[in-house]
Amino acid sequence: MITYRSAGYLHLSLPLLLDSLGENDRVWLWHNGDDEATLEALRPYTSDPRVARFHHSRENVRLHEPTNWLWQESDAEFVSKVDDDCLISTEWLDTFAAAHRDIPDLGVVGSWRHWPEEFRPDLAERKIQTFPGGHRLMRNPWVQGSGHLLRRQMAVKAGYLRAGESFTEFCLRLAMEGAVIGFYYPFIREDHMDDPRSPHSLITTDADLADRLPLSAQRNGIRTVEEWIAQLERSAVVLQGAPYAPKHYHGWRPKVRHARQRIGKALGLRVVPW
């Protein structure tokens, strides 16, 4: 778990994550920046026996460095990142670990942060496949950066997260090398509390959004709560409609952008480029 200015969420997200652990599971904590309220919320947990490591970076180094810190220094079979503004489902870890052990080629399996009413069977069902052990996945060559489970040896073999590479790009690279990637189905839901529709969200006004502006909103020029909700709704459609075969993403940036625009146009949606 990487934390940054998250005191308003941490009292919910971190205890839930810790309570989801099995006997041999551990959490590594990395804190970016010097926000005293977040550090105060973290301090009671730094000595928790379920917390294996704690690192404080005075500078906000974002995600790349702490992600590789875990992947490179851990000897775990599986690794994950759970965002400080996300509430995972209690069954996520056992379910995903069982899927990994039954599906040898499984690289990354993910939680789903979209709402039940956003499920589009006309788009998603062609991507849902059954695997050994009765596990079902909605195949996609990338999953969200929180609430997933990654087979660590695949990250080692791939050379970890490259400079300037996002988790989406990393997943696409694994998929092109033959890894199975997708969202567990029926979906294991993650509550993204920076979604204004979440009952726990601290984003209720445009001023709140400006103060907490999520990275995805920053990249897409989002300025209002209405625009942010619309983007989240579009993301659900894009994830369900995007082709899962890696061949569609050779020279992947224009391919992904084209697929997103094509799906949005067909559905009458305003599409903001990634």
Side-chain angles (χ1 to χ4, degrees):
M1 178 175 280
I2 304 164
T3 59
Y4 174 71
R5 290 189 62 211
S6 52
Y9 290 142
L10 203 57
H11 68 289
L12 297 173
S13 58
L14 184 51
L16 184 61
L17 174 61
L18 291 170
D19 287 345
S20 76
L21 303 180
E23 182 179 355
N24 297 315
D25 306 321
R26 294 294 181 269
V27 169
W28 290 30
L29 293 173
W30 178 293
H31 178 66
N32 279 327
D34 279 333
D35 180 61
E36 184 55 38
T38 305
L39 284 167
E40 185 64 27
L42 277 172
R43 286 190 183 101
Y45 298 101
T46 58
S47 59
D48 190 297
R50 296 166 295 181
V51 173
R53 300 275 292 273
F54 172 67
H55 180 86
H56 178 196
S57 169
R58 302 292 298 272
E59 180 185 355
N60 178 16
V61 295
R62 296 186 178 260
L63 305 178
H64 183 274
E65 185 178 344
T67 298
N68 277 341
W69 169 69
L70 172 68
W71 291 1
Q72 292 172 352
E73 297 195 19
S74 170
D75 61 0
E77 184 177 8
F78 307 116
V79 289
S80 178
K81 176 169 74 70
V82 175
D83 288 345
D84 55 5
D85 61 359
C86 289
L87 300 177
I88 44 83
S89 296
T90 55
E91 74 273 24
W92 77 289
L93 196 50
D94 289 342
T95 302
F96 292 174
H100 268 291
R101 293 188 172 114
D102 289 338
I103 309 169
D105 293 333
L106 183 57
V108 194
V109 57
S111 302
W112 182 254
R113 60 174 52 169
H114 301 284
W115 297 86
E117 59 269 25
E118 294 172 331
F119 180 58
R120 290 291 303 269
D122 56 316
L123 297 175
E125 286 179 354
R126 64 185 176 82
K127 299 174 61 173
I128 297 171
Q129 298 179 2
T130 302
F131 292 86
H135 302 286
R136 301 175 74 197
L137 301 178
M138 188 187 81
R139 296 284 299 273
N140 200 63
W142 70 89
V143 297
Q144 64 202 32
S146 174
H148 57 262
L149 199 63
L150 162 68
R151 193 181 301 272
R152 194 180 66 86
Q153 278 304 314
M154 286 194 177
V156 174
K157 184 179 178 181
Y160 306 107
L161 200 62
R162 295 172 178 172
E165 185 177 50
S166 69
F167 187 69
T168 295
E169 293 166 339
F170 173 80
C171 287
L172 278 162
R173 192 154 53 88
L174 291 189
M176 290 176 185
E177 294 168 1
V180 172
I181 296 175
F183 297 91
Y184 201 89
Y185 187 83
F187 295 129
I188 304 291
R189 195 165 184 280
E190 179 185 68
D191 181 359
H192 182 207
M193 293 184 283
D194 264 350
D195 182 336
R197 297 166 296 177
S198 167
H200 306 290
S201 184
L202 297 177
I203 297 177
T204 58
T205 67
D206 294 346
D208 296 335
L209 180 66
D211 181 59
R212 300 192 57 85
L213 201 61
L215 288 175
S216 177
Q218 291 178 35
R219 288 194 298 265
N220 285 282
I222 299 299
R223 292 293 178 266
T224 69
V225 170
E226 183 179 6
E227 290 175 344
W228 178 224
I229 292 173
Q231 178 179 309
L232 294 170
E233 292 171 340
R234 287 192 298 273
S235 295
V237 174
V238 169
L239 283 171
Q240 293 170 88
Y244 70 82
K247 66 181 181 181
H248 289 281
Y249 302 92
H250 182 67
W252 71 269
R253 292 176 190 272
K255 297 280 188 178
V256 173
R257 184 161 52 250
H258 174 72
R260 189 168 188 263
Q261 291 170 345
R262 176 168 47 82
I263 293 164
K265 184 177 180 181
L267 296 168
L269 299 173
R270 181 175 70 89
V271 178
V272 179
W274 280 332

mmCIF file with all atom_site columns, all heavy atoms in Angstrom, residues 251-266:
data_model
loop_
_atom_site.group_PDB
_atom_site.id
_atom_site.type_symbol
_atom_site.label_atom_id
_atom_site.label_alt_id
_atom_site.label_comp_id
_atom_site.label_asym_id
_atom_site.label_entity_id
_atom_site.label_seq_id
_atom_site.pdbx_PDB_ins_code
_atom_site.Cartn_x
_atom_site.Cartn_y
_atom_site.Cartn_z
_atom_site.occupancy
_atom_site.B_iso_or_equiv
_atom_site.pdbx_formal_charge
_atom_site.auth_seq_id
_atom_site.auth_comp_id
_atom_site.auth_asym_id
_atom_site.auth_atom_id
_atom_site.pdbx_PDB_model_num
ATOM 1   N N   . GLY A 1 251 ? 2.230   -2.195 -31.229 1.00 0.00 ? 251 GLY A N   1
ATOM 2   C CA  . GLY A 1 251 ? 2.222   -0.737 -31.362 1.00 0.00 ? 251 GLY A CA  1
ATOM 3   C C   . GLY A 1 251 ? 0.993   -0.233 -30.631 1.00 0.00 ? 251 GLY A C   1
ATOM 4   O O   . GLY A 1 251 ? 0.159   0.465  -31.179 1.00 0.00 ? 251 GLY A O   1
ATOM 5   N N   . TRP A 1 252 ? 0.898   -0.608 -29.327 1.00 0.00 ? 252 TRP A N   1
ATOM 6   C CA  . TRP A 1 252 ? -0.362  -0.639 -28.593 1.00 0.00 ? 252 TRP A CA  1
ATOM 7   C C   . TRP A 1 252 ? -1.007  0.715  -28.379 1.00 0.00 ? 252 TRP A C   1
ATOM 8   O O   . TRP A 1 252 ? -2.224  0.829  -28.306 1.00 0.00 ? 252 TRP A O   1
ATOM 9   C CB  . TRP A 1 252 ? -0.164  -1.335 -27.241 1.00 0.00 ? 252 TRP A CB  1
ATOM 10  C CG  . TRP A 1 252 ? 0.634   -0.563 -26.252 1.00 0.00 ? 252 TRP A CG  1
ATOM 11  C CD1 . TRP A 1 252 ? 1.966   -0.611 -26.068 1.00 0.00 ? 252 TRP A CD1 1
ATOM 12  C CD2 . TRP A 1 252 ? 0.145   0.371  -25.297 1.00 0.00 ? 252 TRP A CD2 1
ATOM 13  N NE1 . TRP A 1 252 ? 2.353   0.243  -25.069 1.00 0.00 ? 252 TRP A NE1 1
ATOM 14  C CE2 . TRP A 1 252 ? 1.260   0.851  -24.579 1.00 0.00 ? 252 TRP A CE2 1
ATOM 15  C CE3 . TRP A 1 252 ? -1.129  0.860  -24.981 1.00 0.00 ? 252 TRP A CE3 1
ATOM 16  C CZ2 . TRP A 1 252 ? 1.148   1.789  -23.574 1.00 0.00 ? 252 TRP A CZ2 1
ATOM 17  C CZ3 . TRP A 1 252 ? -1.249  1.807  -23.967 1.00 0.00 ? 252 TRP A CZ3 1
ATOM 18  C CH2 . TRP A 1 252 ? -0.115  2.257  -23.274 1.00 0.00 ? 252 TRP A CH2 1
ATOM 19  N N   . ARG A 1 253 ? -0.262  1.801  -28.287 1.00 0.00 ? 253 ARG A N   1
ATOM 20  C CA  . ARG A 1 253 ? -0.864  3.095  -27.950 1.00 0.00 ? 253 ARG A CA  1
ATOM 21  C C   . ARG A 1 253 ? -1.930  3.524  -28.956 1.00 0.00 ? 253 ARG A C   1
ATOM 22  O O   . ARG A 1 253 ? -3.065  3.815  -28.567 1.00 0.00 ? 253 ARG A O   1
ATOM 23  C CB  . ARG A 1 253 ? 0.221   4.165  -27.828 1.00 0.00 ? 253 ARG A CB  1
ATOM 24  C CG  . ARG A 1 253 ? 1.129   3.980  -26.640 1.00 0.00 ? 253 ARG A CG  1
ATOM 25  C CD  . ARG A 1 253 ? 2.237   5.027  -26.644 1.00 0.00 ? 253 ARG A CD  1
ATOM 26  N NE  . ARG A 1 253 ? 3.259   4.731  -25.656 1.00 0.00 ? 253 ARG A NE  1
ATOM 27  C CZ  . ARG A 1 253 ? 3.226   5.131  -24.392 1.00 0.00 ? 253 ARG A CZ  1
ATOM 28  N NH1 . ARG A 1 253 ? 2.198   5.835  -23.971 1.00 0.00 ? 253 ARG A NH1 1
ATOM 29  N NH2 . ARG A 1 253 ? 4.186   4.823  -23.558 1.00 0.00 ? 253 ARG A NH2 1
ATOM 30  N N   . PRO A 1 254 ? -1.607  3.561  -30.264 1.00 0.00 ? 254 PRO A N   1
ATOM 31  C CA  . PRO A 1 254 ? -2.674  3.945  -31.208 1.00 0.00 ? 254 PRO A CA  1
ATOM 32  C C   . PRO A 1 254 ? -3.794  2.924  -31.268 1.00 0.00 ? 254 PRO A C   1
ATOM 33  O O   . PRO A 1 254 ? -4.950  3.284  -31.502 1.00 0.00 ? 254 PRO A O   1
ATOM 34  C CB  . PRO A 1 254 ? -1.937  4.052  -32.550 1.00 0.00 ? 254 PRO A CB  1
ATOM 35  C CG  . PRO A 1 254 ? -0.680  3.270  -32.375 1.00 0.00 ? 254 PRO A CG  1
ATOM 36  C CD  . PRO A 1 254 ? -0.310  3.412  -30.937 1.00 0.00 ? 254 PRO A CD  1
ATOM 37  N N   . LYS A 1 255 ? -3.474  1.633  -31.037 1.00 0.00 ? 255 LYS A N   1
ATOM 38  C CA  . LYS A 1 255 ? -4.501  0.597  -31.083 1.00 0.00 ? 255 LYS A CA  1
ATOM 39  C C   . LYS A 1 255 ? -5.513  0.785  -29.952 1.00 0.00 ? 255 LYS A C   1
ATOM 40  O O   . LYS A 1 255 ? -6.727  0.694  -30.158 1.00 0.00 ? 255 LYS A O   1
ATOM 41  C CB  . LYS A 1 255 ? -3.856  -0.784 -30.967 1.00 0.00 ? 255 LYS A CB  1
ATOM 42  C CG  . LYS A 1 255 ? -2.907  -1.133 -32.100 1.00 0.00 ? 255 LYS A CG  1
ATOM 43  C CD  . LYS A 1 255 ? -3.647  -1.592 -33.323 1.00 0.00 ? 255 LYS A CD  1
ATOM 44  C CE  . LYS A 1 255 ? -2.674  -2.115 -34.369 1.00 0.00 ? 255 LYS A CE  1
ATOM 45  N NZ  . LYS A 1 255 ? -3.355  -2.626 -35.563 1.00 0.00 ? 255 LYS A NZ  1
ATOM 46  N N   . VAL A 1 256 ? -5.008  1.016  -28.743 1.00 0.00 ? 256 VAL A N   1
ATOM 47  C CA  . VAL A 1 256 ? -5.897  1.202  -27.594 1.00 0.00 ? 256 VAL A CA  1
ATOM 48  C C   . VAL A 1 256 ? -6.739  2.460  -27.788 1.00 0.00 ? 256 VAL A C   1
ATOM 49  O O   . VAL A 1 256 ? -7.950  2.466  -27.557 1.00 0.00 ? 256 VAL A O   1
ATOM 50  C CB  . VAL A 1 256 ? -5.091  1.287  -26.283 1.00 0.00 ? 256 VAL A CB  1
ATOM 51  C CG1 . VAL A 1 256 ? -6.004  1.655  -25.114 1.00 0.00 ? 256 VAL A CG1 1
ATOM 52  C CG2 . VAL A 1 256 ? -4.410  -0.039 -25.998 1.00 0.00 ? 256 VAL A CG2 1
ATOM 53  N N   . ARG A 1 257 ? -6.107  3.537  -28.244 1.00 0.00 ? 257 ARG A N   1
ATOM 54  C CA  . ARG A 1 257 ? -6.831  4.789  -28.438 1.00 0.00 ? 257 ARG A CA  1
ATOM 55  C C   . ARG A 1 257 ? -7.932  4.617  -29.490 1.00 0.00 ? 257 ARG A C   1
ATOM 56  O O   . ARG A 1 257 ? -9.064  5.075  -29.314 1.00 0.00 ? 257 ARG A O   1
ATOM 57  C CB  . ARG A 1 257 ? -5.850  5.886  -28.849 1.00 0.00 ? 257 ARG A CB  1
ATOM 58  C CG  . ARG A 1 257 ? -6.491  7.262  -28.982 1.00 0.00 ? 257 ARG A CG  1
ATOM 59  C CD  . ARG A 1 257 ? -5.451  8.359  -28.924 1.00 0.00 ? 257 ARG A CD  1
ATOM 60  N NE  . ARG A 1 257 ? -4.373  8.159  -29.861 1.00 0.00 ? 257 ARG A NE  1
ATOM 61  C CZ  . ARG A 1 257 ? -3.121  7.844  -29.528 1.00 0.00 ? 257 ARG A CZ  1
ATOM 62  N NH1 . ARG A 1 257 ? -2.810  7.684  -28.264 1.00 0.00 ? 257 ARG A NH1 1
ATOM 63  N NH2 . ARG A 1 257 ? -2.195  7.677  -30.445 1.00 0.00 ? 257 ARG A NH2 1
ATOM 64  N N   . HIS A 1 258 ? -7.594  3.915  -30.576 1.00 0.00 ? 258 HIS A N   1
ATOM 65  C CA  . HIS A 1 258 ? -8.576  3.699  -31.644 1.00 0.00 ? 258 HIS A CA  1
ATOM 66  C C   . HIS A 1 258 ? -9.737  2.846  -31.140 1.00 0.00 ? 258 HIS A C   1
ATOM 67  O O   . HIS A 1 258 ? -10.907 3.141  -31.423 1.00 0.00 ? 258 HIS A O   1
ATOM 68  C CB  . HIS A 1 258 ? -7.912  3.042  -32.845 1.00 0.00 ? 258 HIS A CB  1
ATOM 69  C CG  . HIS A 1 258 ? -8.883  2.669  -33.928 1.00 0.00 ? 258 HIS A CG  1
ATOM 70  N ND1 . HIS A 1 258 ? -9.488  3.608  -34.740 1.00 0.00 ? 258 HIS A ND1 1
ATOM 71  C CD2 . HIS A 1 258 ? -9.383  1.462  -34.310 1.00 0.00 ? 258 HIS A CD2 1
ATOM 72  C CE1 . HIS A 1 258 ? -10.291 2.992  -35.589 1.00 0.00 ? 258 HIS A CE1 1
ATOM 73  N NE2 . HIS A 1 258 ? -10.251 1.698  -35.344 1.00 0.00 ? 258 HIS A NE2 1
ATOM 74  N N   . ALA A 1 259 ? -9.420  1.778  -30.378 1.00 0.00 ? 259 ALA A N   1
ATOM 75  C CA  . ALA A 1 259 ? -10.484 0.904  -29.868 1.00 0.00 ? 259 ALA A CA  1
ATOM 76  C C   . ALA A 1 259 ? -11.409 1.680  -28.938 1.00 0.00 ? 259 ALA A C   1
ATOM 77  O O   . ALA A 1 259 ? -12.634 1.553  -28.999 1.00 0.00 ? 259 ALA A O   1
ATOM 78  C CB  . ALA A 1 259 ? -9.873  -0.290 -29.133 1.00 0.00 ? 259 ALA A CB  1
ATOM 79  N N   . ARG A 1 260 ? -10.823 2.530  -28.106 1.00 0.00 ? 260 ARG A N   1
ATOM 80  C CA  . ARG A 1 260 ? -11.622 3.307  -27.165 1.00 0.00 ? 260 ARG A CA  1
ATOM 81  C C   . ARG A 1 260 ? -12.531 4.282  -27.908 1.00 0.00 ? 260 ARG A C   1
ATOM 82  O O   . ARG A 1 260 ? -13.713 4.434  -27.583 1.00 0.00 ? 260 ARG A O   1
ATOM 83  C CB  . ARG A 1 260 ? -10.687 4.049  -26.221 1.00 0.00 ? 260 ARG A CB  1
ATOM 84  C CG  . ARG A 1 260 ? -11.390 4.730  -25.048 1.00 0.00 ? 260 ARG A CG  1
ATOM 85  C CD  . ARG A 1 260 ? -10.340 5.164  -24.033 1.00 0.00 ? 260 ARG A CD  1
ATOM 86  N NE  . ARG A 1 260 ? -10.985 5.646  -22.825 1.00 0.00 ? 260 ARG A NE  1
ATOM 87  C CZ  . ARG A 1 260 ? -11.211 6.922  -22.567 1.00 0.00 ? 260 ARG A CZ  1
ATOM 88  N NH1 . ARG A 1 260 ? -10.890 7.841  -23.447 1.00 0.00 ? 260 ARG A NH1 1
ATOM 89  N NH2 . ARG A 1 260 ? -11.780 7.291  -21.432 1.00 0.00 ? 260 ARG A NH2 1
ATOM 90  N N   . GLN A 1 261 ? -11.983 4.938  -28.916 1.00 0.00 ? 261 GLN A N   1
ATOM 91  C CA  . GLN A 1 261 ? -12.782 5.886  -29.685 1.00 0.00 ? 261 GLN A CA  1
ATOM 92  C C   . GLN A 1 261 ? -13.886 5.183  -30.462 1.00 0.00 ? 261 GLN A C   1
ATOM 93  O O   . GLN A 1 261 ? -15.011 5.680  -30.557 1.00 0.00 ? 261 GLN A O   1
ATOM 94  C CB  . GLN A 1 261 ? -11.855 6.666  -30.627 1.00 0.00 ? 261 GLN A CB  1
ATOM 95  C CG  . GLN A 1 261 ? -10.922 7.619  -29.902 1.00 0.00 ? 261 GLN A CG  1
ATOM 96  C CD  . GLN A 1 261 ? -9.848  8.201  -30.800 1.00 0.00 ? 261 GLN A CD  1
ATOM 97  O OE1 . GLN A 1 261 ? -9.612  7.692  -31.898 1.00 0.00 ? 261 GLN A OE1 1
ATOM 98  N NE2 . GLN A 1 261 ? -9.194  9.243  -30.344 1.00 0.00 ? 261 GLN A NE2 1
ATOM 99  N N   . ARG A 1 262 ? -13.555 4.006  -31.031 1.00 0.00 ? 262 ARG A N   1
ATOM 100 C CA  . ARG A 1 262 ? -14.547 3.261  -31.811 1.00 0.00 ? 262 ARG A CA  1
ATOM 101 C C   . ARG A 1 262 ? -15.705 2.806  -30.924 1.00 0.00 ? 262 ARG A C   1
ATOM 102 O O   . ARG A 1 262 ? -16.878 2.942  -31.285 1.00 0.00 ? 262 ARG A O   1
ATOM 103 C CB  . ARG A 1 262 ? -13.872 2.052  -32.466 1.00 0.00 ? 262 ARG A CB  1
ATOM 104 C CG  . ARG A 1 262 ? -14.816 1.150  -33.232 1.00 0.00 ? 262 ARG A CG  1
ATOM 105 C CD  . ARG A 1 262 ? -14.028 0.162  -34.072 1.00 0.00 ? 262 ARG A CD  1
ATOM 106 N NE  . ARG A 1 262 ? -12.954 -0.470 -33.326 1.00 0.00 ? 262 ARG A NE  1
ATOM 107 C CZ  . ARG A 1 262 ? -13.125 -1.509 -32.518 1.00 0.00 ? 262 ARG A CZ  1
ATOM 108 N NH1 . ARG A 1 262 ? -14.336 -2.003 -32.320 1.00 0.00 ? 262 ARG A NH1 1
ATOM 109 N NH2 . ARG A 1 262 ? -12.099 -2.057 -31.899 1.00 0.00 ? 262 ARG A NH2 1
ATOM 110 N N   . ILE A 1 263 ? -15.384 2.285  -29.732 1.00 0.00 ? 263 ILE A N   1
ATOM 111 C CA  . ILE A 1 263 ? -16.428 1.826  -28.808 1.00 0.00 ? 263 ILE A CA  1
ATOM 112 C C   . ILE A 1 263 ? -17.272 3.004  -28.342 1.00 0.00 ? 263 ILE A C   1
ATOM 113 O O   . ILE A 1 263 ? -18.498 2.952  -28.308 1.00 0.00 ? 263 ILE A O   1
ATOM 114 C CB  . ILE A 1 263 ? -15.788 1.099  -27.607 1.00 0.00 ? 263 ILE A CB  1
ATOM 115 C CG1 . ILE A 1 263 ? -15.140 -0.204 -28.078 1.00 0.00 ? 263 ILE A CG1 1
ATOM 116 C CG2 . ILE A 1 263 ? -16.846 0.798  -26.537 1.00 0.00 ? 263 ILE A CG2 1
ATOM 117 C CD1 . ILE A 1 263 ? -14.174 -0.779 -27.066 1.00 0.00 ? 263 ILE A CD1 1
ATOM 118 N N   . GLY A 1 264 ? -16.601 4.108  -27.979 1.00 0.00 ? 264 GLY A N   1
ATOM 119 C CA  . GLY A 1 264 ? -17.336 5.282  -27.520 1.00 0.00 ? 264 GLY A CA  1
ATOM 120 C C   . GLY A 1 264 ? -18.261 5.837  -28.579 1.00 0.00 ? 264 GLY A C   1
ATOM 121 O O   . GLY A 1 264 ? -19.405 6.209  -28.296 1.00 0.00 ? 264 GLY A O   1
ATOM 122 N N   . LYS A 1 265 ? -17.781 5.888  -29.820 1.00 0.00 ? 265 LYS A N   1
ATOM 123 C CA  . LYS A 1 265 ? -18.609 6.396  -30.909 1.00 0.00 ? 265 LYS A CA  1
ATOM 124 C C   . LYS A 1 265 ? -19.835 5.528  -31.113 1.00 0.00 ? 265 LYS A C   1
ATOM 125 O O   . LYS A 1 265 ? -20.956 6.015  -31.303 1.00 0.00 ? 265 LYS A O   1
ATOM 126 C CB  . LYS A 1 265 ? -17.790 6.463  -32.197 1.00 0.00 ? 265 LYS A CB  1
ATOM 127 C CG  . LYS A 1 265 ? -18.536 7.064  -33.380 1.00 0.00 ? 265 LYS A CG  1
ATOM 128 C CD  . LYS A 1 265 ? -17.633 7.153  -34.605 1.00 0.00 ? 265 LYS A CD  1
ATOM 129 C CE  . LYS A 1 265 ? -18.387 7.745  -35.789 1.00 0.00 ? 265 LYS A CE  1
ATOM 130 N NZ  . LYS A 1 265 ? -17.535 7.829  -36.998 1.00 0.00 ? 265 LYS A NZ  1
ATOM 131 N N   . ALA A 1 266 ? -19.639 4.201  -31.048 1.00 0.00 ? 266 ALA A N   1
ATOM 132 C CA  . ALA A 1 266 ? -20.755 3.274  -31.255 1.00 0.00 ? 266 ALA A CA  1
ATOM 133 C C   . ALA A 1 266 ? -21.812 3.425  -30.168 1.00 0.00 ? 266 ALA A C   1
ATOM 134 O O   . ALA A 1 266 ? -23.005 3.200  -30.403 1.00 0.00 ? 266 ALA A O   1
ATOM 135 C CB  . ALA A 1 266 ? -20.247 1.841  -31.284 1.00 0.00 ? 266 ALA A CB  1
#
